[in-house]
């Protein structure tokens, strides 16, 4: 069965989502093709089906989005060539959809664009879900500008009580004149028409699903800024893309994903991130969670660790533990039973598993070193760890490497574990790295700096919106080659 295939190697906490994908694919994929998926390379099979002309544009977007989710929930990561083909395929269809809007180019008043902001944020799930908490922090930064009169947060799905409490805490204190409001796409399918009725605005794309048609639609309606992360090239157009990686790093990885040069040229590196105001942390005692007071504590944190920790990473951590008699490995997050059992059996009391913590910041005060797996994500956990006083070790790719200075950013696994040995053996070096990374983290959390940088990007987006014809069709004003590709599709 397709369901059994997709569940192989999956993180247990994503099993229900994966079952839903399996049911959806069985309904959308031609039956004759399902057998091909079960007997061959899943990624290659899906790309072949989507390129075959046998399925509609809507199905292409749905299945491509599902495949991207599976790469996070069960692995393996999408190969660069598969990602490039999927991005080209979906980009052409989304551009064609946006260009189907029957609208004339509109020159928009600059003053209104600076005052009015609309954020597309996807689901608002829980404050501990970094895209959800970050969306509200982003809105709070915009609303802190006294000249702003409109901050609308466009989201999908239900907002649960914990998330509502966080929204009230972060946004409830702003006066009505700031125009802070939630807009549900579920409750209001015509949300774009309503947004336009309230006047021109700047659009901000923050963790909206990568293939959401709304992204390409709003790029026709006004200037757009898009947050990018995890070294993934964007599929859809924005006037400005922003993140914390260097321009050279972004150019390298986006080219590998066959991103248009027009996208690469629109990327801007900024130096601060949306963040809640730091709160005083009451350190958690090691004894309260079963850690020896004199242990060297290595932490690994994540929701998808069964997928993200590969053999090289696990073997390296085990060897590091054996080299340092007082080292303990604390893993925070769900683990498949086979991995949990193996760690407990092999490592014994040198291993501590914390399935979930709502006080991750306090838990990280017990940690000496946050050892990031060889993954693209993990930025929020690493940010929390540095803020709690731990040092961070990462490879030179993905979110975590963008959030700490170059000290102990490793180029490959061999160098990574050599650095880990240095930090375990030298308390003075560990203290110096913690201090350097802590100072860098404090600057990144400066919300005044973040607002200043976003304001600059808003002005840049307005300039680029005008330069591309004030909402003229993307296929002719941004990247003419897509016209041919869309017609061919």
């Amino acid at each position: 069965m397709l369901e059994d295939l997709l569940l192989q190697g999956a993180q247990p906490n994503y099993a229900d989502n994966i079952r839903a994908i399996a049911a959806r694919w069985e309904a959308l994929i031609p039956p004759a093709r399902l057998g091909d998926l079960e007997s061959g390379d899943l990624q290659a099979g899906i790309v072949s089906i989507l390129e075959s002309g046998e399925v509609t544009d809507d199905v292409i977007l749905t299945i491509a989005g599902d495949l991207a989710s599976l790469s996070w929930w069960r692995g393996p990561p999408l190969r660069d060539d598969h990602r490039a083909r999927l991005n080209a395929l979906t980009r052409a269809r989304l551009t064609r959809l946006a260009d189907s809007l029957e609208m004339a180019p509109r020159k928009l008043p600059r003053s209104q664009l600076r005052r009015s902001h609309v954020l597309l944020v996807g689901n608002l799930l829980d404050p501990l879900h970094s895209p959800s908490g970050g969306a509200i922090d982003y809105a709070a930064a915009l609303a802190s500008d006294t000249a702003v009169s409109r901050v609308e947060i466009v989201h999908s799905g239900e907002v649960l009580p914990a998330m509502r409490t966080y929204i009230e805490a972060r946004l409830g204190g702003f006066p009505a004149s700031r125009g802070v409001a939630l807009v549900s796409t579920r409750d209001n399918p015509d949300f774009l028409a309503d947004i336009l009725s309230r006047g021109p605005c700047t659009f901000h794309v923050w963790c909206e699903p990568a293939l959401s048609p709304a992204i390409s639609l709003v790029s026709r309606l006004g200037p757009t800024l898009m947050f990018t992360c995890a070294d993934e090239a964007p599929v859809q157009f924005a006037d400005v893309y922003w993140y914390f990686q260097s321009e050279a790093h972004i150019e390298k990885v986006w080219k590998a994903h066959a991103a248009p040069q027009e996208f690469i040229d629109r990327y801007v590196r900024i130096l601060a991130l949306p963040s809640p105001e730091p709160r005083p942390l009451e350190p958690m005692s090691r004894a309260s969670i079963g850690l020896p007071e004199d242990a060297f504590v290595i932490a690994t944190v994540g929701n998808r660790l069964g997928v993200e920790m590969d053999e090289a990473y696990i073997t390296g951590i085990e060897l590091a533990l054996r080299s340092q008699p007082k080292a303990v490995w604390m893993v925070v997050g769900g683990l498949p039973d086979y991995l949990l059992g193996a760690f407990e059996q092999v490592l014994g009391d040198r291993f501590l598993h914390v399935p979930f913590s709502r006080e991750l910041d306090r838990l990280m005060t017990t940690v000496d070193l946050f050892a990031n797996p060889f993954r693209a994500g993990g930025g929020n956990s690493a940010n929390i760890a540095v803020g709690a006083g731990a040092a961070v070790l990462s490879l030179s790719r993905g979110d975590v490497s963008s959030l700490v200075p170059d000290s102990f950013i490793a180029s490959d696994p061999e160098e990574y574990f050599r650095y880990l040995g240095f930090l375990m053996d030298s308390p003075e070096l560990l203290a110096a790295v913690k201090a350097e990374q802590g100072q860098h983290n404090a600057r990144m959390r400066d919300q005044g700096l973040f607002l200043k940088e976003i304001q600059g990007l808003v002005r840049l987006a307005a300039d680029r919106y005008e330069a591309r014809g004030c909402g003229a069709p993307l296929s002719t004003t941004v990247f003419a080659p897509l016209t041919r590709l869309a017609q061919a599709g």
Side-chain angles (χ1 to χ4, degrees):
M1 288 179 58
L2 182 61
E3 179 180 299
D4 295 334
L5 172 67
L6 298 188
L7 286 171
Q8 290 175 12
Q11 279 284 128
N13 46 320
Y14 292 102
D16 288 344
N17 303 75
I18 292 172
R19 290 188 183 97
I21 288 176
R24 189 157 54 241
W25 285 10
E26 287 176 343
L28 296 177
I29 295 174
R33 288 285 201 152
L34 288 173
D36 296 340
L37 297 181
E38 296 175 7
S39 61
D41 181 322
L42 178 67
Q43 288 186 14
I46 287 294
V47 174
S48 175
I49 289 169
L50 299 188
E51 290 178 334
S52 68
E54 299 177 45
V55 293
T56 64
D57 286 359
D58 287 348
V59 171
I60 288 173
L61 296 176
T62 298
I63 294 179
D66 288 343
L67 186 60
S69 295
L70 288 174
S71 73
W72 286 86
W73 298 341
R74 71 181 289 277
L78 282 171
R79 282 174 23 189
D80 283 349
D81 59 333
H82 290 156
R83 185 187 299 277
R85 289 161 65 187
L86 285 171
N87 286 359
L89 191 68
T90 53
R91 185 179 298 119
R93 280 147 182 81
L94 289 162
T95 301
R96 183 167 60 195
L97 172 65
D99 286 353
S100 69
L101 282 178
E102 295 182 2
M103 55 170 283
R106 303 183 309 150
K107 187 173 178 60
L108 304 177
R110 286 296 190 100
S111 60
Q112 191 68 26
L113 297 176
R114 290 194 294 269
R115 291 195 301 268
S116 298
H117 303 274
V118 173
L119 283 70
L120 276 62
V121 303
N123 283 323
L124 294 175
L125 299 175
D126 188 279
L128 296 182
H129 177 243
S130 55
S132 301
I136 303 308
D137 298 333
Y138 192 166
L142 290 172
S144 68
D145 181 354
T146 57
V148 165
S149 59
R150 178 185 175 195
V151 179
E152 296 185 86
I153 306 164
V154 180
H155 68 97
S156 54
E158 182 181 3
V159 181
L160 298 176
M163 194 70 228
R164 289 197 176 276
T165 298
Y166 189 72
I167 291 170
E168 178 59 29
R170 296 288 282 127
L171 301 178
F174 288 110
S177 60
R178 304 293 167 83
V180 177
L182 293 177
V183 178
S184 168
T185 62
R186 185 187 63 176
D187 297 340
N188 182 7
D190 295 326
F191 68 96
L192 279 180
D194 283 353
I195 285 170
L196 287 180
S197 73
R198 290 187 280 276
C201 61
T202 296
F203 292 97
H204 303 254
V205 180
W206 169 273
C207 298
E208 177 80 3
L211 300 182
S212 166
I215 297 174
S216 288
L217 293 174
V218 300
S219 68
R220 291 289 309 278
L221 304 175
T224 55
L225 287 70
M226 183 187 294
F227 168 79
T228 64
C229 65
D231 285 358
E232 291 188 359
V235 179
Q236 303 189 65
F237 174 81
D239 292 293
V240 173
Y241 304 100
W242 63 272
Y243 194 55
F244 320 114
Q245 292 281 19
S246 71
E247 286 82 359
H249 177 91
I250 288 296
E251 181 168 19
K252 179 181 177 181
V253 295
W254 287 13
K255 278 187 173 179
H257 299 163
Q261 188 63 42
E262 292 89 344
F263 286 19
I264 296 170
D265 293 342
R266 284 173 166 77
Y267 174 77
V268 179
R269 181 187 195 179
I270 71 171
L271 302 177
L273 50 76
S275 174
E277 294 299 322
R279 65 186 182 97
L281 282 179
E282 179 184 352
M284 185 177 289
S285 74
R286 288 184 165 184
S288 69
I289 55 173
L291 285 170
E293 288 298 331
D294 62 348
F296 186 97
V297 181
I298 302 169
T300 304
V301 182
N303 292 320
R304 300 177 296 270
L305 293 177
V307 174
E308 293 171 333
M309 296 190 301
D310 62 11
E311 183 177 355
Y313 177 81
I314 293 171
T315 300
I317 292 290
E318 180 184 352
L319 292 174
L321 293 174
R322 296 191 185 285
S323 72
Q324 170 55 264
K326 293 185 177 181
V328 175
W329 186 27
M330 178 167 66
V331 175
V332 184
L335 288 174
D337 290 342
Y338 75 90
L339 265 186
L340 178 59
F343 293 160
E344 291 175 337
Q345 181 178 0
V346 173
L347 300 175
D349 61 3
R350 312 288 295 282
F351 171 73
L352 173 66
H353 183 225
V354 180
F356 178 77
S357 174
R358 291 207 72 89
E359 292 186 292
L360 185 61
D361 51 358
R362 292 191 61 227
L363 182 63
M364 289 296 102
T365 63
T366 69
V367 171
D368 293 296
L369 177 72
F370 180 99
N372 193 49
F374 309 151
R375 61 184 176 185
N380 190 54
S381 300
N383 193 40
I384 290 171
V386 177
V392 167
L393 177 59
S394 175
L395 286 185
S396 56
R397 63 174 186 259
D399 289 347
V400 175
S401 68
S402 73
L403 299 176
V404 294
D406 290 340
S407 60
F408 288 81
I409 297 293
S411 60
D412 56 43
E414 181 179 0
E415 187 173 55
Y416 181 101
F417 289 111
R418 187 164 65 248
Y419 288 171
L420 176 56
F422 294 160
L423 292 169
M424 294 173 72
D425 293 339
S426 173
E428 296 80 9
L429 179 60
L430 178 66
V433 170
K434 286 182 177 180
E436 180 185 4
Q437 293 183 349
Q439 291 171 0
H440 181 84
N441 183 258
R443 288 193 298 271
M444 289 200 77
R445 289 176 180 245
D446 182 337
Q447 294 308 278
L449 175 59
F450 176 69
L451 176 60
K452 181 179 179 181
E453 292 193 300
I454 288 295
Q455 288 171 331
L457 296 186
V458 167
R459 291 191 293 271
L460 178 59
D463 291 341
R464 291 177 174 176
Y465 174 79
E466 290 186 2
R468 65 179 170 93
C470 298
L474 297 175
S475 58
T476 56
T477 61
V478 178
F479 27 55
L482 277 184
T483 305
R484 295 191 296 273
L485 185 56
Q487 291 170 347

